Amino acid sequence: MIELTSASATAFVAQAVSVFDVGDGFVVPLLLKLVFILAMFFVVPILGGYLEHKVMGRMQDRRGPVEAGPFGSLQLVADGIKFIQKEDVIPRAADPWVFAMAPGVALVPVLLVLLVIPIGPGVFALDLELGLFYALAISSISTLGILMGGWASANKFSLLGGLRAAGQLIAYELPLILAAAAVALQAGTLSLVGIVEAQATFLIPGTDINLWYLFPQLLGFGIFFLAAMAELARPPFDMPIADSELVFGYMTEYTGIKFAMFLLTEYAGMIVMGGLIAVLYLGGWQLLPGVPLPGCEGAGGIFDCGWQGQLLGVAVTLGKMMLIVFLFVWARVTYPRLREDQLQRMAWLVLVPLALLNLAVITVAKVVF
Amino acid sequence: MSGVLARRDRALTPEETEELLRDRLGEAAVVGSVVEYGVFTLRIAQEHWLEAARRCRDEPLLAYDLFDNLFAVDMREEGFDVVTVLYSTSTGNRLVLRTRCAGGREAPTCPSISDVYRGANWMERETWDMFGIEFEGHPGLAPRILTVENFEGWPLRKDFHLVSRGVKPWPGVKEPAELDEDGNVIERVPRIGDAPGPYELDKVIAEQAKLANPVPEPVTAEGGNVEELAQDADLASDSGQVLTSADEQAAEEAEAQASDVAADVAGAQAQDLEQTAKDKAEQRRREQAEARRRKAEERAADADDAGAAPDQEGNA
Amino acid sequence: MSELSTRERIHPGTAPGEDYHLEIVGEGDFATADMTLSIGPAHPATHGVFRIVLEMDGERVRSARPVIGYMHRGFEKLAEYRDYRQIMALVNRHDWLSGFSNELGVALAVEQLMEFEVPDRAQWIRMLMAEWNRVLNHLMFVGSFALELGAITPMFYAFREREDIQHMMEAATGGRLHFTYNQVGGVKIDLPKGFLRTSAELTTITRKRLVDYRDLILGNEIFQARTKGVGALPTDVALSFGVTGPTLQATGLPEDSRVTEPYLKYGEIDVPVPVGENGDAFDRFFCLLGRIEASLDIIDQVLDHIGPGPVNSKLPKMVKAPEGATYVRTENPLGQLGYWLESDGGRTPWRLKMRTPSFSNVQAIPYLLEGVLVPDAVAVLGSVFFVVGDIDR
């Protein structure tokens, strides 16, 4: 197993080239990567949002959006245009600078995380050695933006929402990182591309059956999924927003484009978390465990692909992201909201010990096999 | 279910209840009793009101534990009655206690039973809000619970008239209460609470409206600010306010004068279409308007005209 | 630092005239004060214009003060200016979710004063409509309570059922909220053809879907964690406040006017009354669902009993109640509704006092809110079922 890992590591170094690195120039790849990131940032969340609208609608015995665009697919675009047109209100008692900066501080980290998430063979902007570490570190900056918004609004509901968000995000950061650490430990690398590759080449000890990390780390997956839901403040963990208690939490005083930025943060956050889960547990762009993509040769059949393989790989990753979004939506439609203290208790008394246990088990297994 | 009705057989009859309360509170406490339409009502002397409520709750044979209702009834010249309805979940009996407030119509007071029943707190606040009955011993009747904080008057008293009837008379010949079955007018000595006829009501409403929204004194043309007058006239003609007869004449005069002046001012500004329409009504205005149209290009001439107009008005 | 400047520091931008009583805890830079949080009048949790002022220490409520009256429409005064027939259209508006049950109380009171005999079929129809109205009302609260706890889906399901029922009732009465179907001496017109069959079908469908609600809400772990032991109301306190309806039944007392003081034909049939144990939010919701089922049972029994006959009786040209007073108490969906009707012999009531269940129920809210957290406060507000129009009248 250890030999296998080191062998795959060498293979990985050969593969860590982005498809956007065309030629030797600096400008063209940079522009291509920017276009890629922005497309990921604006298009995929809309896809996720549309999925949420439609799935929620069907689950609730209604149709969801139908008017804007074919089958209502442009509803979120229409919403975005509406938000841009709305008046940008800053409450008189608010701290105007902090108030105005907060949505940006919440939004930009999500954008930055997209830099390192690979969605296909070679389809990524950047392959950092510390990719996973970078993603988790950067994404926790969003909390600051939410706290800023809650405090600067000069509104009691906002303040309560901001404080709840801060408490909740700090509490769930820990199980999230511990669960991710177990994955990094098993893969032997922090690079997200490397983790995908490690999954494609991971065999059950003693056999030649390829498996994703979802199966050996089912517990870790559960922890990561719950923690991700809490990080994103999605129902049933949406206490920072809690519309029946806190009106709209830290977003209460926001209007127009700033409100839209907070909303985009949520949807893009779902995509980022979906991407992370796909990469960490669901084998990235691997279609099925042990099944190589057509036209791909390297490392378990997911590298060195032609354009067909690359396209298919992107489609597979997006599909897995949407699956995760679907699970998020399903939970939202089904469950009422937890109470703040129940949420904290769950984080510190249930998830953190379980995550530690998971980490310990993986460590032992890693040493033994 | 049987638990609820178990003691139903042991429930006291109205006579027994009355007897028990007379025994506990003294003969003078119970002024009278009546059973009508299956509702048993006990009249309690006001000084025994609190004690009666407490007895009804605590006496094991009565055990009126569910506080149902508390309100007042306007009794015309005699003042106000305070009524409370109690119910016993164990015996299934219902009891109505009724007392006459001390202080007549001017300063009605009644002891509070909010210490005995928690629910009486808001009910008494509501009764104070609606009738102005002071409940002695209540933790705090103010602020007004249902009406707005600065509301004046006691709306459920019969001498407080429904304003909407003044604004829009009842869509019938007469108030319903004034006709008998055959459509003949019933001759009655007016009492408190009788619906007043349309004209009397108009007067009452006008009085109330004048108190609530005092009409500002109209400024006379002499020495008055021309533009202010014009604005006042516009307001009066646009807002459709119902002016009371007392002020009507003065207001009309003011309006007439003001609109004259306003027309001139508007003429000086050479714009307002509405004003030109008014001009057509009077010959003098029309001449001025034609003159204005001829001089439309010459701003200086306009200014002269404006300067002249108020003087003319003053001379007239 | 003077108290005034502390107040301004802590409550920037608050309106003048608000009555704070600040309790400063600690000294120097660490001094803190309670926060006054005004929930409402326009807040999602108050479903209507109802305001509740919370004195809070962090997220814990120290005391609560409901402020009502934003929707006072003066129905008691208006009723004194309308004759008995016109009152019907007035009284079905105070609790807009139970229009028919509201009318019913007045109709019964006037008939009692006039000593009017109502035909049998009219009485059965009234029961049928009253029970359907109760189902409508309770379904609304099933949805809204779940919504307040953050579950969005039950609202849509509840409205699906409500739509069917409203559609059926509209066929008979012409109204969807304000039915104005009662009149003194019976009901306005007879039921349309097929109404009884549709009723029977809808009871089956609704009963089947109730299972979904039980699974989706009552069986939900988060729902149980949020509501069990929250806002427990002891029976004696509830009675002292005059709390009735599902909120009282949740405390374990099967007090229901339909059983203890039967009106109409309730005495002839079996009325199931669900009861809770602890009087907490969970039990209140349990009783609410139980009451829907009870109503469906009653509807089935009514369908067995209802026979042909006249549905109203000829009234005199002028409806006049003789001098006297009566008190009629009916089991409204939210609790017991009482009408004190006092007549001086004229065409209009001398005094019509409405004892509305919401008014009494809401009084208990400050008692329930002391010491709970804000999320629990919302659970309490949602589970002490009230309609704002019913509080303010």
Side-chain angles (χ1 to χ4, degrees):
Chain A
M1 180 67 199
I2 292 167
E3 273 181 34
L4 188 75
T5 313
S6 57
S8 62
T10 48
F12 148 70
V13 171
Q15 292 302 325
V17 179
S18 167
V19 285
F20 303 116
D21 287 327
V22 284
D24 299 328
F26 173 74
V27 179
V28 175
L30 184 70
L31 285 178
L32 281 177
K33 284 175 182 175
L34 277 177
V35 169
F36 166 68
I37 291 294
L38 287 179
M40 282 287 287
F41 187 59
F42 285 113
V43 178
V44 184
I46 285 178
L47 215 62
Y50 177 63
L51 184 78
E52 172 167 36
H53 282 166
K54 276 297 185 188
V55 168
M56 256 174 78
R58 290 295 165 185
M59 285 184 173
Q60 293 172 345
D61 210 25
R62 56 193 177 89
R63 294 174 67 195
V66 286
E67 294 291 340
F71 303 102
S73 54
L74 298 180
Q75 183 62 48
L76 276 174
V77 179
D79 282 349
I81 295 170
K82 178 193 72 181
F83 279 129
I84 292 169
Q85 290 169 339
K86 284 200 168 183
E87 188 188 356
D88 184 19
V89 180
I90 298 181
R92 193 179 302 155
D95 188 334
W97 280 100
V98 183
F99 185 81
M101 273 177 358
V105 175
L107 186 62
V108 170
V110 183
L111 185 65
L112 293 180
V113 175
L114 284 171
L115 272 178
V116 296
I117 293 182
I119 64 164
V123 188
F124 50 83
L126 205 58
D127 178 36
L128 287 181
E129 280 292 328
L130 292 171
L132 181 58
F133 176 78
Y134 167 84
L136 294 177
I138 290 286
S139 68
S140 57
I141 296 178
S142 279
T143 315
L144 194 61
I146 289 171
L147 192 55
M148 281 164 66
W151 182 83
S153 298
N155 178 316
K156 293 167 189 171
F157 293 112
S158 295
L159 182 62
L160 281 176
L163 290 178
R164 281 183 181 191
Q168 171 173 340
L169 301 194
I170 289 167
Y172 278 85
E173 201 74 19
L174 198 55
L176 193 77
I177 289 171
L178 285 175
V183 172
L185 192 70
Q186 190 175 358
T189 173
L190 278 169
S191 156
L192 291 174
V193 180
I195 289 173
V196 173
E197 188 189 337
Q199 287 187 70
T201 53
F202 169 70
L203 305 174
I204 298 177
T207 66
D208 56 351
I209 301 170
N210 177 227
L211 269 188
W212 296 341
Y213 285 172
L214 172 67
F215 301 101
Q217 303 217 19
L218 198 56
L219 179 63
F221 170 75
I223 293 166
F224 194 92
F225 183 77
L226 282 180
M229 214 145 64
E231 283 278 298
L232 295 172
R234 296 282 303 169
F237 302 110
D238 62 335
M239 294 71 154
I241 299 166
D243 48 356
S244 60
E245 298 159 25
L246 302 182
V247 188
F248 222 65
Y250 56 88
M251 290 191 253
T252 305
E253 295 288 356
Y254 281 93
T255 53
I257 190 73
K258 290 180 187 142
F259 181 76
M261 282 165 82
F262 269 128
L263 276 193
L264 188 59
T265 308
E266 185 180 334
Y267 282 116
M270 282 209 296
I271 295 302
V272 163
M273 283 301 174
L276 276 180
I277 291 175
V279 166
L280 295 182
Y281 294 99
L282 300 179
W285 56 90
Q286 200 182 3
L287 188 59
L288 284 171
V291 179
L293 282 177
C296 298
E297 287 146 22
I302 57 165
F303 286 101
D304 297 333
C305 301
W307 63 272
Q308 304 98 330
Q310 282 170 352
L311 274 186
L312 188 63
V314 171
V316 168
T317 316
L318 286 183
K320 286 175 182 172
M321 282 180 182
M322 291 306 145
L323 180 72
I324 299 299
V325 172
F326 174 78
L327 291 179
F328 283 149
V329 175
W330 194 1
R332 176 180 179 187
V333 170
T334 310
Y335 283 107
R337 179 182 306 123
L338 275 168
R339 212 166 54 207
E340 188 63 26
D341 58 323
Q342 291 166 338
L343 178 95
Q344 294 285 344
R345 197 167 295 133
M346 185 168 135
W348 295 107
L349 298 183
V350 180
L351 290 187
V352 171
L354 281 180
L356 285 171
L357 178 74
N358 180 49
L359 190 60
V361 169
I362 296 295
T363 313
V364 169
K366 180 90 181 168
V367 171
V368 170
F369 297 114
Chain B
M1 198 49 45
S2 55
V4 180
L5 303 172
R7 288 177 58 191
R8 188 58 50 87
D9 302 337
R10 282 182 277 150
L12 297 186
T13 62
E15 294 77 28
E16 288 166 346
T17 307
E18 188 181 346
E19 202 175 316
L20 185 78
L21 279 176
R22 277 187 196 278
D23 179 55
R24 297 289 193 271
L25 300 170
E27 281 297 318
V30 180
V31 181
S33 69
V34 61
V35 181
E36 51 177 3
Y37 308 107
V39 181
F40 175 43
T41 309
L42 268 182
R43 288 197 157 273
I44 305 289
Q46 209 216 11
E47 53 273 23
H48 296 281
W49 180 246
L50 178 61
E51 189 53 28
R54 183 163 286 140
R55 284 286 174 188
C56 286
R57 184 192 63 178
D58 294 339
E59 203 65 50
L61 282 171
L62 298 175
Y64 287 103
D65 46 1
L66 175 59
F67 175 78
D68 200 64
N69 207 344
L70 187 144
F71 54 93
V73 180
D74 191 319
M75 300 306 286
R76 296 200 172 91
E77 291 80 7
E78 300 160 28
F80 301 96
D81 272 4
V82 170
V83 185
T84 185
V85 183
L86 305 174
Y87 181 78
S88 167
T89 53
S90 49
T91 66
N93 270 357
R94 195 189 302 127
L95 175 68
V96 177
L97 298 179
R98 188 161 184 155
T99 187
R100 177 68 41 87
C101 288
R105 294 191 74 83
E106 282 69 41
T109 58
C110 178
S112 166
I113 58 167
S114 57
D115 288 343
V116 183
Y117 292 105
R118 293 169 191 253
N121 188 326
W122 278 21
M123 296 274 190
E124 282 172 357
R125 279 181 68 187
E126 188 200 336
T127 309
W128 172 74
D129 191 0
M130 293 295 155
F131 287 91
I133 297 171
E134 292 284 344
F135 287 89
E136 294 154 355
H138 189 280
L141 292 165
R144 302 190 77 144
I145 187 167
L146 289 180
T147 54
V148 290
E149 289 86 351
N150 54 358
F151 193 86
E152 283 180 20
W154 311 109
L156 275 184
R157 289 191 183 185
K158 291 286 180 178
D159 46 16
F160 187 99
H161 294 292
L162 200 58
V163 177
S164 62
R165 283 301 170 84
V167 177
K168 189 173 184 295
W170 190 245
V173 186
K174 287 280 167 79
E175 283 291 319
E178 293 182 23
L179 298 176
D180 67 4
E181 284 86 342
D182 306 322
N184 300 321
V185 178
I186 303 172
E187 295 293 340
R188 275 205 303 214
V189 184
R191 294 193 294 171
I192 296 171
D194 283 347
Y199 299 109
E200 298 160 43
L201 196 66
D202 276 352
K203 266 187 278 177
V204 174
I205 301 300
E207 285 297 315
Q208 285 180 358
K210 206 155 53 170
L211 282 178
N213 312 305
V215 183
E217 284 291 315
V219 188
T220 52
E222 297 161 0
N225 186 332
V226 171
E227 293 202 5
E228 247 179 45
L229 276 175
Q231 279 176 359
D232 281 353
D234 276 349
L235 276 179
S237 55
D238 288 344
S239 65
Q241 273 177 340
V242 181
L243 293 177
T244 54
S245 60
D247 294 328
E248 213 156 352
Q249 200 145 10
E252 257 175 26
E253 281 175 18
E255 189 178 353
Q257 287 176 351
S259 59
D260 283 357
V261 178
D264 290 344
V265 172
Q269 288 162 352
Q271 282 306 321
D272 203 333
L273 274 176
E274 219 176 301
Q275 292 295 344
T276 46
K278 272 189 184 175
D279 291 350
K280 284 174 187 171
E282 293 173 46
Q283 185 58 34
R284 189 166 59 85
R285 291 273 134 55
R286 190 182 289 164
E287 288 170 4
Q288 282 189 349
E290 283 166 1
R292 191 171 65 242
R293 255 179 251 120
R294 284 198 304 274
K295 295 173 184 173
E297 293 96 337
E298 303 166 24
R299 283 193 167 274
D302 282 353
D304 287 346
D305 203 15
D311 286 346
Q312 279 179 2
E313 206 57 34
N315 294 337
Chain C
M1 184 171 281
S2 72
E3 197 196 316
L4 186 68
S5 60
T6 314
R7 172 184 303 179
E8 283 169 352
R9 186 166 56 89
I10 293 167
H11 302 283
T14 44
E18 285 280 295
D19 47 334
Y20 298 117
H21 61 92
L22 285 182
E23 196 178 315
I24 309 292
V25 184
E27 285 178 354
D29 288 344
F30 297 105
T32 57
D34 284 359
M35 182 164 81
T36 307
L37 187 69
S38 173
I39 293 187
H43 183 276
T46 57
H47 42 81
V49 277
F50 171 71
R51 177 169 167 229
I52 189 154
V53 182
L54 302 176
E55 296 284 338
M56 300 204 306
D57 175 14
E59 279 216 33
R60 196 165 288 282
V61 178
R62 289 166 69 104
S63 70
R65 182 167 57 88
V67 182
I68 64 169
Y70 289 94
M71 222 180 168
H72 180 59
R73 288 159 288 174
F75 279 145
E76 290 173 15
K77 186 74 177 176
L78 292 174
E80 290 171 10
Y81 283 77
R82 274 150 182 77
D83 69 28
Y84 291 112
R85 292 187 241 215
Q86 295 167 326
I87 289 176
M88 291 301 163
L90 193 67
V91 292
N92 60 18
R93 274 158 173 79
H94 62 82
D95 176 358
W96 50 73
L97 291 178
S98 15
F100 187 86
S101 313
N102 300 340
E103 299 163 15
L104 184 61
V106 171
L108 290 175
V110 178
E111 283 156 13
Q112 215 171 77
L113 276 185
M114 296 176 71
E115 292 175 349
F116 220 90
E117 233 4 86
V118 179
D120 273 4
R121 184 174 167 86
Q123 299 202 28
W124 287 114
I125 290 176
R126 280 178 174 181
M127 275 169 72
L128 186 65
M129 287 295 187
E131 294 309 319
W132 272 127
N133 199 190
R134 195 182 316 275
V135 174
L136 272 184
N137 177 302
H138 286 352
L139 280 174
M140 181 78 194
F141 281 98
V142 167
S144 78
F145 182 39
L147 188 68
E148 267 151 38
L149 292 179
I152 40 183
T153 310
M155 194 75 175
F156 291 98
Y157 288 176
F159 267 83
R160 181 185 60 191
E161 266 81 270
R162 272 175 60 88
E163 194 59 37
D164 291 346
I165 299 169
Q166 275 183 327
H167 197 67
M168 178 184 71
M169 291 185 74
E170 191 183 357
T173 65
R176 287 167 65 85
L177 281 177
H178 307 305
F179 303 106
T180 327
Y181 188 51
N182 272 300
Q183 63 182 36
V184 178
V187 295
K188 199 165 63 180
I189 43 172
D190 204 349
L191 296 174
K193 210 172 169 186
F195 186 90
L196 299 181
R197 199 184 58 237
T198 319
S199 275
E201 283 165 8
L202 273 184
T203 52
T204 324
I205 294 172
T206 312
R207 204 174 269 128
K208 214 180 290 171
R209 286 175 179 170
L210 272 183
V211 179
D212 292 348
Y213 294 121
R214 285 188 200 282
D215 291 350
L216 190 63
I217 309 176
L218 271 189
N220 189 308
E221 296 81 5
I222 297 181
F223 179 83
Q224 293 180 359
R226 283 294 305 277
T227 53
K228 278 198 171 163
V230 171
L233 187 64
T235 310
D236 56 335
V237 177
L239 288 173
S240 181
F241 273 121
V243 169
T244 49
T247 315
L248 177 64
Q249 287 159 7
T251 67
L253 187 74
E255 169 64 35
D256 188 317
S257 289
R258 291 172 294 175
V259 178
T260 53
E261 290 183 299
Y263 50 99
L264 294 177
K265 299 276 187 188
Y266 282 111
E268 297 180 19
I269 59 171
D270 178 36
V271 180
V273 180
V275 287
E277 285 169 11
N278 310 315
D280 55 12
F282 183 83
D283 281 356
R284 287 195 276 274
F285 191 77
F286 173 81
C287 286
L288 193 78
L289 278 183
R291 276 165 71 103
I292 296 181
E293 204 151 10
S295 285
L296 296 176
D297 286 351
I298 295 174
I299 289 168
D300 281 346
Q301 296 180 53
V302 171
L303 292 179
D304 292 341
H305 280 86
I306 195 164
V311 294
N312 48 27
S313 28
K314 199 162 162 51
L315 286 176
K317 200 174 167 191
M318 197 85 43
V319 180
K320 270 185 162 185
E323 209 168 325
T326 187
Y327 189 68
V328 167
R329 206 170 65 159
T330 56
E331 185 74 14
N332 236 35
L334 297 177
Q336 286 165 3
L337 174 76
Y339 283 116
W340 176 270
L341 182 61
E342 192 157 334
S343 167
D344 66 341
R347 278 175 55 168
T348 60
W350 178 252
R351 175 90 168 97
L352 180 76
K353 162 72 185 180
M354 302 166 179
R355 181 253 193 248
T356 49
S358 302
F359 187 82
S360 299
N361 289 3
V362 164
Q363 277 198 76
I365 283 182
Y367 176 87
L368 294 175
L369 286 189
E370 249 170 63
V372 305
L373 296 169
V374 170
D376 287 345
V378 172
V380 168
L381 276 179
S383 66
V384 177
F385 309 106
F386 63 86
V387 169
V388 177
D390 204 27
I391 306 171
D392 294 345
R393 285 157 287 153

